[in-house]
Amino acid sequence: MLSQGSTWLTPRISFPKGSPGRPLVCFYRPDVCNTTTLLLSEDGDTLFVGARDAVLSLDVSQKEALVIRSKLDWSPSGKDLEQCSMKGKEMMDCPNFIRVLQFLNTTHMYACGTYAFSPRCTYMHTETLLMTSHSSKPEEGRGRCPYDPYQRNTAITVDGELYTATVADYRGNRPVISRHLSEGSHVDLKLDDTLGWLEDPTFISSSFIPSEEKIYFFFSEVGKEYDFIDEFIVSRVAQICTSDVGGQRTLQRRWTTFAKAQLLCQASSELPYNVVQDITTLPPPEGAPADDTLFYGIFTSQWSVNSGQSAVCAFRLRDIKATFSRNYKVLNRDTLRWSTRVQEKIANPGECGLHNASDNTLRFVKENFLADDSVRPVGRSLTMVSHDQNYSHLAAQRVRAANHRDYTILFLLTDAGYLHKAVLLEKGAHIIEEVQVFQKPQPIKNMQLSASKGVVFVGTSEGVVRVPAANCSFYSSCAQCVLARDPFCGWDHADKACMEVSHVQASLGQDVDGGNVEETCNTTPLSPRAGVGPNKLTPGETVSMSLNEVVRLQCPGTSRHAQRLWEGPGGRLSPDLYLQPEDGSLRFLVTSATLGPYLCLSMERGHRQTLAVYHVEQKPTPPPPATSPPPAPTVWMAVKSGDLDLVPSVGVWPKTSAEVKRRADAMPVSSEAPKTPLATKPGGVSLAPGPRDSGSKDGGRQLLAHSPSYLKELVVVSVLLALCLSTLLTAALYSIRQRCRKRTAPQASASDSRGGLAEREALRGESPPRANGKRSNGRTTRNSQTNGQVCTAATTPKGSNGHLPNTPI
């Protein structure tokens, strides 16, 4: 029993499109697009493709190429396209999209297309693809093919008769399940649409079970039996018998064996995944009864809480048959409510051979077509759940492994353009790999599995892509081959290669359930310190870096299920010195303590292996060029400005500045000499590098001859310094002048008349009169001259002793 919880499923290996590890074969032509229908011949050598305005046959027998054999161009006329546009449809939806492509016999096929929203069908020869219709033009395809290219449909042929599930009107409001091309005693049948046997369905797929002589249709529709405020979508399985010919009076030319039941893809205590996306049929193993036939389906949820999630459920034919054999619901015509029938059951709806029953029996099966119970999945649990992928199509295959056990492989196509290959195990599903098939989202696509050839064909809007089911050659070691847990692959100990199980008769190393490398490959586990010790230096890549540089070491891990670890010279790496991002790389600063060997290890299912080895070394200092002489030892020497007239003091040029400048500019400057500026000490002493014994003028001139000249820079600095000093001095003088003017300004007072008399007496040479009979002290005027400017100092009174008053003698 498969018990898959809600664990997060991650593909072990991912192959981007064009990856050399997963080569794909593509068929692209500019005149072929929208390959909506794929049909594979019984021998698996020819793939028939229904595209837009064309039907093709491809030779797929070669592994390295897809070769076109023949092509039929089938496009609407200009008048048909004009009428389609007048109906309000987009021109991009008006071409003829092939939606039905089925074998009628060994020599002919039957094809139907949308044909500008006016479906057409035709017969064609399988070898030449030439139309062989009974009339001069294709026949009407209403009820056999949808009008809209975006509406889903399903079709299947049994004994030359076509069974379809589609819509029968232009607006898509009349769903119908019908039979066409009937021969002999059979007549074309369809559903009785007066009772609402179908409620706005979306048809998914159909499957024929020969032992039951029944065809099962899978679809989703509105569940009218649930009295909810919002419409509740349910997934259904319906059945009809291929021997049905309709009733004699009741249900004439209508199905008498139609019945439907709910498919419930739900885990315990969780919301159901109620919208079916695709269904595929897996026949039972050889020798097993037909009741063991499995139907694998992809389901999504209509509620936002499960948005972005997809679930896979498996249903057994035995459970479907048991559900149809139990009680049925009945519809109350007055209240339009469904209820469980409590009266005695007259007949068993869905039972074959009711066309000869009485009218009372046919009326009973006409009103009781909905099973009361739901079909539960195998083990009453989900097969697998993807929390981050929306699956759209799937295919299933049973594979015999090296241990002679059968495993189920699912190929799931995502909306993002990836094909997932998953193996179903007892502990849950394991996604072996994912392969990117196309980059742009494809609105219409199909998938066809060829189990005999081991190939999956995917139809995209640009063409067809061929994906091999097995990729054993990618695994280069026994550990990788076993850890893949792929039932297709096993390790051949004699040839030292990972081989396909079906191609090798000898026993191969393989462990699909456990992935135990040590037991399967007969190896010993890698010790934690293997290859890192001082005496065991594992060969690897040498990385030369300078000190205080940041180095990044990559770990080339391919498995997403493996945990990548790093080991350095000191064993475990301290998080204070090393950074390990999520991509598995290692970053650190190169110091004397971080030099040495580094190993990237992976741990997967208990197996430890080395992925990369690095030896981080210090980059050696490059030697000087051979043409340059070795530089002499450099010392700093003090040179006075008087002794070396070529080195002026800072801010002051000697009197012969013009001559010095001329001589300095004429001096040759060596381009190889280091550009070391002259250092100047206070007092006009310059420090210049030179030899220890050079203290004379000749030595200084020789030193300057091999040193760079800074005369121009020194002139500029001196001029700027002189300008700054002049500006400051001017500002200071202006400030002093303003203060002098304020202190000598005349002031109005009561003694102005007295002062005027004294001035007149002084001009006449007379002494001023004494105050109180005494002669007053005279005022002394003192002139001071500063920078050519004259200002009058204030007269200060003195005492009788000639000194300033209040000043000690």
Side-chain angles (χ1 to χ4, degrees), residues 204-529:
I204 302 301
S205 65
S206 54
S207 178
F208 173 63
I209 307 298
S211 62
E212 299 291 325
E213 294 185 354
K214 291 183 179 181
I215 297 178
Y216 292 92
F217 295 91
F218 299 92
F219 57 95
S220 62
E221 66 174 356
V222 179
K224 292 295 185 180
E225 68 270 26
Y226 295 98
D227 189 12
F228 294 158
I229 298 177
D230 297 331
E231 291 185 347
F232 178 52
I233 307 298
V234 295
S235 298
R236 303 287 197 194
V237 54
Q239 67 169 18
I240 54 99
C241 295
T242 57
S243 60
D244 196 347
V245 294
Q248 296 180 357
R249 289 178 297 274
T250 303
L251 295 179
Q252 289 185 1
R253 292 185 177 273
R254 300 293 187 269
W255 295 108
T256 63
T257 56
F258 175 79
K260 66 179 181 180
Q262 180 181 357
L263 294 174
L264 189 58
C265 182
Q266 180 183 14
S268 58
S269 68
E270 292 184 3
L271 290 175
Y273 294 87
N274 56 325
V275 183
V276 60
Q277 300 295 330
D278 194 18
I279 292 284
T280 186
T281 304
L282 182 63
E286 185 177 356
D291 288 350
D292 291 340
T293 303
L294 294 177
F295 303 96
Y296 285 94
I298 298 173
F299 295 82
T300 58
S301 177
Q302 74 176 97
W303 296 284
S304 59
V305 65
N306 289 337
S307 177
Q309 300 182 11
S310 297
V312 176
C313 284
F315 302 93
R316 201 182 303 273
L317 179 60
R318 181 185 299 108
D319 299 331
I320 295 176
K321 293 171 56 178
T323 301
F324 283 127
S325 64
R326 300 191 186 102
N327 296 331
Y328 282 75
K329 295 181 184 294
V330 61
L331 178 63
N332 190 331
R333 298 299 177 181
D334 297 332
T335 61
L336 298 180
R337 292 178 179 269
W338 291 86
S339 61
T340 304
R341 176 173 291 278
V342 295
Q343 65 183 21
E344 183 181 357
K345 184 168 60 173
I346 299 177
N348 187 18
E351 184 180 354
C352 297
L354 293 177
H355 52 277
N356 294 324
S358 62
D359 293 343
N360 188 25
T361 302
L362 293 180
R363 282 193 296 269
F364 178 84
V365 299
K366 177 181 178 180
E367 297 177 356
N368 299 265
F369 55 86
L370 178 59
D372 186 42
D373 293 338
S374 300
V375 182
R376 300 280 179 172
V378 176
R380 293 183 176 268
S381 62
L382 308 181
T383 302
M384 61 178 290
V385 179
S386 177
H387 295 271
D388 57 346
Q389 296 291 342
N390 280 325
Y391 293 124
S392 59
H393 290 75
L394 85 160
Q397 180 181 359
R398 187 174 286 107
V399 180
R400 179 65 59 89
N403 56 2
H404 305 288
R405 291 180 54 188
D406 291 336
Y407 293 90
T408 300
I409 299 292
L410 296 182
F411 298 94
L412 302 131
L413 189 62
T414 70
D415 289 342
Y418 284 86
L419 182 66
H420 287 190
K421 183 174 75 172
V423 57
L424 304 182
L425 306 174
E426 294 183 357
K427 296 182 180 180
H430 165 62
I431 302 181
I432 301 172
E433 61 180 359
E434 66 173 2
V435 183
Q436 187 177 15
V437 181
F438 49 85
Q439 295 178 351
K440 298 181 180 179
Q442 309 293 328
I444 301 175
K445 44 192 174 294
N446 204 338
M447 186 167 60
Q448 182 71 39
L449 171 65
S450 176
S452 60
K453 300 294 183 179
V455 176
V456 178
F457 298 98
V458 179
T460 70
S461 62
E462 292 87 7
V464 180
V465 180
R466 172 177 176 165
V467 183
N471 190 30
C472 303
S473 60
F474 173 75
Y475 308 107
S476 58
S477 64
C478 180
Q480 290 295 328
C481 187
V482 174
L483 289 174
R485 303 165 70 189
D486 191 345
F488 286 103
C489 305
W491 183 258
D492 190 346
H493 295 279
D495 294 341
K496 303 297 182 181
C498 192
M499 310 287 291
E500 290 191 32
V501 176
S502 58
H503 296 170
V504 180
Q505 300 297 330
S507 60
L508 300 178
Q510 186 186 70
D511 188 3
V512 179
D513 294 300
N516 194 320
V517 176
E518 280 70 24
E519 294 182 0
T520 308
C521 299
N522 298 324
T523 59
T524 57
L526 180 66
S527 61
R529 297 293 298 159

Side-chain angles (χ1 to χ4, degrees), residues 62 68 113 176 181 648 666 703 711:
Q62 305 177 17
I68 185 172
V176 61
L181 311 179
L703 173 63
L711 294 178

